[in-house]
Amino acid sequence: MDENEIKQEQEKVEEPASIKEEAAEIKEQAKKTIQKIKDTAKEEDPKLSSTVNLRTILGGDFLTAEMVRSQIWLIVLVVLFTIIYVAFRYQCQQDMIAIDKMEKELLDAKYKALSSSSTLTEKCRESHVLDALKNNKDSLLHIADQPPYIINIEE
């Protein structure tokens, strides 16, 4: 074998070794990249600066998950009180409507009672009773011709 053939065989032997080294380097780089991605990808919210300005309020940035989680019971309490307030107001309005309706019915009943009372008073007058007795011929009642007697009892 001459020198050229030996060099070619050495190159063939060196090529797989270099490929293995390149593969190992690629694996190492992939591991580093995956680790960097894991470090940057967190499920936690980033910490906000302590300054609160109009932009953070309008943008909703101050409503972070951490803040909402820490105040969840306060939010639930406020919602519960709001629901109770609306329910009581609705019930109060319904009661006021019922009271107005009953007051109108009471006023109508008073007017009917007043009307009935005046009609009864009119029909009970002596002149109307006498007219009713005259019109009713079969009645044994009539107007007294003599004044009433005064009976004196001695003791």
Side-chain angles (χ1 to χ4, degrees):
M1 276 201 203
D2 65 0
E3 292 180 18
N4 289 334
E5 289 178 7
I6 294 174
K7 285 182 181 179
Q8 288 176 357
E9 284 184 28
Q10 284 178 355
E11 288 177 6
K12 287 180 185 178
V13 172
E14 288 177 7
E15 284 180 16
S18 66
I19 293 174
K20 288 181 182 178
E21 289 174 4
E22 287 178 19
E25 285 180 26
I26 291 174
K27 282 185 181 180
E28 191 64 34
Q29 286 178 353
K31 286 181 182 179
K32 288 180 183 178
T33 306
I34 290 173
Q35 185 62 34
K36 285 182 181 178
I37 291 173
K38 285 181 180 179
D39 290 341
T40 58
K42 295 180 182 177
E43 291 187 21
E44 296 177 4
D45 291 334
K47 297 290 181 186
L48 293 177
S49 63
S50 62
T51 60
V52 177
N53 53 24
L54 184 62
R55 184 175 185 187
T56 59
I57 292 173
L58 292 178
D61 295 338
F62 73 99
L63 291 173
T64 61
E66 181 182 330
M67 194 276 294
V68 172
R69 270 187 253 128
S70 65
Q71 301 295 329
I72 190 70
W73 292 113
L74 177 65
I75 294 169
V76 168
L77 187 67
V78 168
V79 168
L80 181 70
F81 283 156
T82 304
I83 290 171
I84 290 171
Y85 174 76
V86 169
F88 281 153
R89 181 175 176 160
Y90 177 76
Q91 185 62 41
C92 181
Q93 285 178 341
Q94 294 300 318
D95 291 344
M96 288 176 68
I97 289 171
I99 288 170
D100 287 343
K101 184 179 177 184
M102 289 180 184
E103 283 178 349
K104 288 179 183 177
E105 288 178 10
L106 178 65
L107 191 60
D108 289 344
K110 283 183 179 179
Y111 287 148
K112 281 186 181 181
L114 185 62
S115 173
S116 299
S117 174
S118 66
T119 304
L120 179 63
T121 303
E122 182 183 342
K123 288 187 178 186
C124 290
R125 287 189 181 169
E126 185 179 352
S127 60
H128 286 290
V129 172
L130 292 176
D131 289 339
L133 288 175
K134 285 181 186 175
N135 291 337
N136 194 2
K137 302 280 183 182
D138 61 344
S139 174
L140 297 175
L141 297 174
H142 63 284
I143 299 172
D145 295 337
Q146 298 175 355
Y149 291 111
I150 298 177
I151 303 175
N152 294 325
I153 300 177
E154 295 178 18
E155 294 183 19

